[in-house]
Amino acid sequence: MSRHPEVLWAQRSDKVHLTISLPDAKDISVKCEPQGLFSFSAFGVQGELFDFSLELYGKILPEKCKTKAGLRNIICSVQKEEKGWWKRLLKSEEKPAPYIKVDWNKWCDEDDEELNSDLASDDDDAPVYVGQGDASSDDEGMLYLPDLEKLRGN
């Protein structure tokens, strides 16, 4: 019997970011199909099988989907076939499985994406890890009180 790793997701107008929390994963297999089917499987440290399949909200471009395995997690960038914002991650309107959660550290609203597009670098596809590089700060990805109030709608 297989288990499900925690999956964090966030989107941009052109792609969906999936972060699969599975430290020291082995034999990682990721499959993306054009109609929006995303499948993942890997073995954990103690040889247990972790796998899941997601029927994504829209169609994707499998040839442009990228995966990068780190020590603590696997980061997948799934390219949307059509640029635009999805109402939700999955095609199904039912509540997602408990192992699927929003990645608030990577989340970007439509308005925010337009504002940040001027600041974006040419290397948008490269995943950024907290603590990576010389320019990272200790509070990277943290929400400050004004940002939290903005999210709450105050």
Side-chain angles (χ1 to χ4, degrees):
M1 185 172 152
S2 67
R3 297 171 51 187
H4 297 130
E6 180 181 65
V7 178
L8 301 176
W9 79 280
Q11 72 171 313
R12 300 287 187 276
S13 61
D14 60 338
K15 61 182 77 168
V16 172
H17 298 284
L18 298 173
T19 303
I20 303 158
S21 300
L22 191 57
D24 301 320
K26 302 203 181 346
D27 298 327
I28 299 166
S29 172
V30 174
K31 292 181 185 169
C32 296
E33 297 180 21
Q35 69 273 20
L37 188 62
F38 177 90
S39 301
F40 170 87
S41 68
F43 287 94
V45 171
Q46 297 168 348
E48 65 274 36
L49 176 64
F50 288 84
D51 74 339
F52 64 90
S53 290
L54 303 175
E55 189 174 358
L56 301 175
Y57 184 80
K59 294 182 178 183
I60 59 174
L61 299 171
E63 65 277 3
K64 293 196 176 185
C65 295
K66 300 175 183 176
T67 301
K68 180 166 181 143
L71 294 175
R72 299 261 173 239
N73 51 38
I74 297 99
I75 298 174
C76 301
S77 176
V78 179
Q79 186 74 37
K80 296 177 181 177
E81 183 179 81
E82 293 181 20
K83 194 171 184 177
W85 290 85
W86 291 353
K87 295 178 188 177
R88 57 187 172 273
L89 174 65
L90 304 177
K91 187 175 275 191
S92 169
E93 291 187 31
E94 297 175 11
K95 184 177 179 183
Y99 65 90
I100 300 173
K101 299 175 183 171
V102 173
D103 189 346
W104 293 113
N105 289 330
K106 291 184 181 174
W107 191 264
C108 182
D109 290 324
E110 291 178 66
D111 299 339
D112 295 337
E113 185 180 49
E114 291 172 12
L115 291 173
N116 293 331
S117 64
D118 296 336
L119 304 173
S121 68
D122 293 346
D123 196 18
D124 254 354
D125 292 334
V128 176
Y129 298 96
V130 173
Q132 177 183 8
D134 298 329
S136 71
S137 65
D138 289 337
D139 59 358
E140 188 173 287
M142 299 295 289
L143 283 177
Y144 294 100
L145 187 55
D147 297 328
L148 187 57
E149 288 175 353
K150 181 180 171 187
L151 286 173
R152 289 184 180 158
N154 294 338

